[in-house]
mmCIF file of all heavy atoms in Angstrom:
data_model
loop_
_atom_site.group_PDB
_atom_site.id
_atom_site.type_symbol
_atom_site.label_atom_id
_atom_site.label_comp_id
_atom_site.label_asym_id
_atom_site.label_seq_id
_atom_site.Cartn_x
_atom_site.Cartn_y
_atom_site.Cartn_z
ATOM 1 N N ALA A 182 -30.246 32.563 8.284
ATOM 2 C CA ALA A 182 -29.843 33.857 7.728
ATOM 3 C C ALA A 182 -29.645 33.666 6.232
ATOM 4 O O ALA A 182 -28.577 33.266 5.766
ATOM 5 C CB ALA A 182 -28.563 34.354 8.388
ATOM 6 N N LYS A 184 -29.161 35.389 3.722
ATOM 7 C CA LYS A 184 -28.135 36.073 2.929
ATOM 8 C C LYS A 184 -26.940 35.166 2.647
ATOM 9 O O LYS A 184 -26.183 35.402 1.713
ATOM 10 C CB LYS A 184 -27.684 37.369 3.604
ATOM 11 C CG LYS A 184 -26.790 37.181 4.816
ATOM 12 C CD LYS A 184 -26.210 38.534 5.258
ATOM 13 C CE LYS A 184 -25.034 38.339 6.202
ATOM 14 N NZ LYS A 184 -25.348 38.701 7.592
ATOM 15 N N ASP A 203 -34.199 34.816 8.260
ATOM 16 C CA ASP A 203 -33.823 36.225 8.348
ATOM 17 C C ASP A 203 -33.587 36.684 6.915
ATOM 18 O O ASP A 203 -32.927 36.002 6.138
ATOM 19 C CB ASP A 203 -32.633 36.301 9.311
ATOM 20 C CG ASP A 203 -31.481 37.225 8.945
ATOM 21 O OD1 ASP A 203 -31.538 37.920 7.919
ATOM 22 O OD2 ASP A 203 -30.516 37.226 9.705
ATOM 23 N N HIS A 226 -34.114 42.377 8.239
ATOM 24 C CA HIS A 226 -32.937 43.092 8.712
ATOM 25 C C HIS A 226 -32.472 44.141 7.731
ATOM 26 O O HIS A 226 -32.965 44.231 6.613
ATOM 27 C CB HIS A 226 -31.778 42.099 8.881
ATOM 28 C CG HIS A 226 -31.810 41.400 10.184
ATOM 29 N ND1 HIS A 226 -31.479 42.012 11.348
ATOM 30 C CD2 HIS A 226 -32.147 40.129 10.507
ATOM 31 C CE1 HIS A 226 -31.598 41.149 12.339
ATOM 32 N NE2 HIS A 226 -32.011 40.003 11.854
ATOM 33 N N ARG A 273 -32.486 46.667 16.931
ATOM 34 C CA ARG A 273 -31.108 46.172 16.881
ATOM 35 C C ARG A 273 -30.216 46.978 17.823
ATOM 36 O O ARG A 273 -30.099 48.199 17.706
ATOM 37 C CB ARG A 273 -30.549 46.245 15.458
ATOM 38 C CG ARG A 273 -29.132 45.716 15.415
ATOM 39 C CD ARG A 273 -28.746 45.215 14.067
ATOM 40 N NE ARG A 273 -27.374 44.713 14.086
ATOM 41 C CZ ARG A 273 -26.834 44.036 13.102
ATOM 42 N NH1 ARG A 273 -27.534 43.782 12.015
ATOM 43 N NH2 ARG A 273 -25.589 43.620 13.176
ATOM 44 N N HIS A 325 -26.232 41.226 16.962
ATOM 45 C CA HIS A 325 -25.459 40.302 16.117
ATOM 46 C C HIS A 325 -24.019 40.757 16.231
ATOM 47 O O HIS A 325 -23.698 41.866 15.834
ATOM 48 C CB HIS A 325 -25.950 40.370 14.667
ATOM 49 C CG HIS A 325 -25.088 39.609 13.698
ATOM 50 N ND1 HIS A 325 -25.080 38.240 13.638
ATOM 51 C CD2 HIS A 325 -24.199 40.037 12.771
ATOM 52 C CE1 HIS A 325 -24.224 37.852 12.692
ATOM 53 N NE2 HIS A 325 -23.679 38.931 12.162
ATOM 54 N N SER A 328 -19.267 37.331 12.608
ATOM 55 C CA SER A 328 -19.394 36.113 11.838
ATOM 56 C C SER A 328 -18.104 35.315 11.925
ATOM 57 O O SER A 328 -17.039 35.876 12.202
ATOM 58 C CB SER A 328 -19.698 36.474 10.379
ATOM 59 O OG SER A 328 -20.262 35.374 9.706
ATOM 60 N N GLY A 365 -26.495 35.732 14.408
ATOM 61 C CA GLY A 365 -25.802 34.547 13.900
ATOM 62 C C GLY A 365 -24.337 34.607 14.252
ATOM 63 O O GLY A 365 -23.946 35.376 15.127
ATOM 64 N N GLY A 366 -23.550 33.793 13.562
ATOM 65 C CA GLY A 366 -22.116 33.997 13.680
ATOM 66 C C GLY A 366 -21.242 32.831 14.049
ATOM 67 O O GLY A 366 -20.014 32.958 13.997
ATOM 68 N N GLU A 408 -29.743 33.437 14.474
ATOM 69 C CA GLU A 408 -29.807 33.535 13.015
ATOM 70 C C GLU A 408 -28.582 32.926 12.361
ATOM 71 O O GLU A 408 -27.762 33.639 11.774
ATOM 72 C CB GLU A 408 -29.897 35.005 12.598
ATOM 73 C CG GLU A 408 -31.078 35.718 13.180
ATOM 74 C CD GLU A 408 -30.902 37.219 13.173
ATOM 75 O OE1 GLU A 408 -29.745 37.703 13.169
ATOM 76 O OE2 GLU A 408 -31.922 37.916 13.164
ATOM 77 N N GLY A 410 -26.324 31.455 9.621
ATOM 78 C CA GLY A 410 -26.264 31.396 8.161
ATOM 79 C C GLY A 410 -25.183 30.404 7.777
ATOM 80 O O GLY A 410 -25.432 29.273 7.348
ATOM 81 N N ARG A 411 -23.942 30.835 8.013
ATOM 82 C CA ARG A 411 -22.777 30.025 7.672
ATOM 83 C C ARG A 411 -22.850 28.608 8.261
ATOM 84 O O ARG A 411 -22.581 27.634 7.569
ATOM 85 C CB ARG A 411 -21.530 30.742 8.206
ATOM 86 C CG ARG A 411 -20.214 30.199 7.691
ATOM 87 C CD ARG A 411 -19.038 30.826 8.460
ATOM 88 N NE ARG A 411 -19.091 32.279 8.468
ATOM 89 C CZ ARG A 411 -18.629 33.062 7.499
ATOM 90 N NH1 ARG A 411 -18.049 32.527 6.445
ATOM 91 N NH2 ARG A 411 -18.720 34.380 7.576
ATOM 92 N N TYR A 509 -21.982 32.320 1.399
ATOM 93 C CA TYR A 509 -21.353 33.536 0.891
ATOM 94 C C TYR A 509 -20.483 33.296 -0.343
ATOM 95 O O TYR A 509 -19.466 33.963 -0.529
ATOM 96 C CB TYR A 509 -20.546 34.232 2.018
ATOM 97 C CG TYR A 509 -21.379 34.477 3.255
ATOM 98 C CD1 TYR A 509 -21.157 33.793 4.439
ATOM 99 C CD2 TYR A 509 -22.438 35.382 3.208
ATOM 100 C CE1 TYR A 509 -21.950 34.002 5.562
ATOM 101 C CE2 TYR A 509 -23.242 35.601 4.323
ATOM 102 C CZ TYR A 509 -22.982 34.900 5.495
ATOM 103 O OH TYR A 509 -23.775 35.112 6.595
HETATM 104 C C1 PLP B 691 -24.811 37.916 8.487
HETATM 105 C C2 PLP B 691 -25.811 37.900 9.578
HETATM 106 C C3 PLP B 691 -26.215 36.688 10.145
HETATM 107 C C4 PLP B 691 -25.601 35.365 9.749
HETATM 108 O O1 PLP B 691 -24.279 35.270 10.182
HETATM 109 P P1 PLP B 691 -23.487 33.875 9.986
HETATM 110 O O2 PLP B 691 -22.104 34.225 10.386
HETATM 111 O O3 PLP B 691 -23.595 33.508 8.561
HETATM 112 O O4 PLP B 691 -24.121 32.879 10.907
HETATM 113 C C5 PLP B 691 -27.203 36.728 11.092
HETATM 114 N N1 PLP B 691 -27.773 37.888 11.482
HETATM 115 C C6 PLP B 691 -27.414 39.070 10.958
HETATM 116 C C7 PLP B 691 -28.094 40.302 11.407
HETATM 117 C C8 PLP B 691 -26.422 39.126 9.996
HETATM 118 O O5 PLP B 691 -26.057 40.304 9.509
#
Side-chain angles (χ1 to χ4, degrees):
K184 74 170 196 252
D203 138 2
H226 276 286
R273 181 155 180 170
H325 172 73
S328 200
E408 302 160 335
R411 192 189 307 276
Y509 307 111

